[in-house]
Amino acid sequence: DEHVVKVWEETKRYGATEEEECAALLHDTVEDQPDKVSLKMIEEEFGPKVSGYVGELTSDEDRIREIGKAQYMKEKLSKISLGALKVKLADRKCNISDMMKAPEKFRNKYYPETRTMMEGLEGRNLPEAQEKLTDDINQILDEVKAKYFENKKHSLK
């Protein structure tokens, strides 16, 4: 899957450990293939640290339905481990990296969702790699805001 490879490359670029790299490659497996892949299988094959990261990165669909994806991601980022956070931020950076060229519908969904999600990191003391990823994501969001959302009838954060 091209997306998984991009997330792995991005995670690696920010100084990932071997476990973080494995988690980057596996981050969507349990979510996308729940009938074929379990956290127990990942733990048996790659160890508890990788399995733990993948578990943290796997979304709780019931909770998302309850509070909405943006709020769910905000809460998740406020307490996720630093290793899983590096992968999650790399994942989101990959998801929004072409937002400037993306269709309006995509921007109108991912821009506010990502802004809300990033609020979960406010006040959190982050290591250099996670701080740099956060800065890079915020830079993309600022560019999108300046081009598409400022001076428009509706305003997004």
Side-chain angles (χ1 to χ4, degrees), residues 53 56 73-86 88-89 117-128 130-132 134-135:
Y53 288 157
E56 288 183 274
M73 293 307 300
K74 178 181 175 180
E75 287 179 8
K76 182 175 247 194
L77 264 59
S78 72
K79 57 190 172 204
I80 196 170
S81 72
L82 293 173
L85 178 62
K86 188 183 293 177
K88 184 67 213 163
L89 290 172
M117 176 179 142
M118 299 305 286
E119 290 171 5
L121 297 175
E122 290 175 7
R124 208 172 157 183
N125 188 16
L126 299 175
E128 185 178 342
Q130 288 84 341
E131 190 68 44
K132 177 70 173 125
T134 299
D135 291 346

Side-chain angles (χ1 to χ4, degrees), residues 34-51:
D35 296 335
K36 296 179 183 176
V37 181
S38 69
L39 290 174
K40 183 163 179 50
M41 292 168 69
I42 292 172
E43 182 174 357
E44 289 169 0
E45 189 69 29
F46 300 99
K49 197 163 199 171
V50 172
S51 175

Side-chain angles (χ1 to χ4, degrees), residues 36-122:
K36 296 179 183 176
V37 181
S38 69
L39 290 174
K40 183 163 179 50
M41 292 168 69
I42 292 172
E43 182 174 357
E44 289 169 0
E45 189 69 29
F46 300 99
K49 197 163 199 171
V50 172
S51 175
Y53 288 157
V54 173
E56 288 183 274
L57 295 164
T58 301
S59 293
D60 179 342
E61 294 301 324
D62 291 336
R63 185 78 175 135
I64 290 171
R65 278 190 290 280
E66 183 182 321
I67 65 172
K69 186 165 184 184
Q71 187 61 34
Y72 172 79
M73 293 307 300
K74 178 181 175 180
E75 287 179 8
K76 182 175 247 194
L77 264 59
S78 72
K79 57 190 172 204
I80 196 170
S81 72
L82 293 173
L85 178 62
K86 188 183 293 177
V87 176
K88 184 67 213 163
L89 290 172
D91 178 37
R92 184 49 64 133
K93 185 178 177 202
C94 289
N95 288 342
I96 68 166
S97 63
D98 61 354
M99 194 183 284
M100 293 292 276
K101 298 177 279 183
E104 182 178 7
K105 184 177 179 181
F106 178 89
R107 276 193 309 277
N108 288 343
K109 177 183 183 226
Y110 275 88
Y111 176 84
E113 182 179 283
T114 304
R115 280 285 189 207
T116 299
M117 176 179 142
M118 299 305 286
E119 290 171 5
L121 297 175
E122 290 175 7

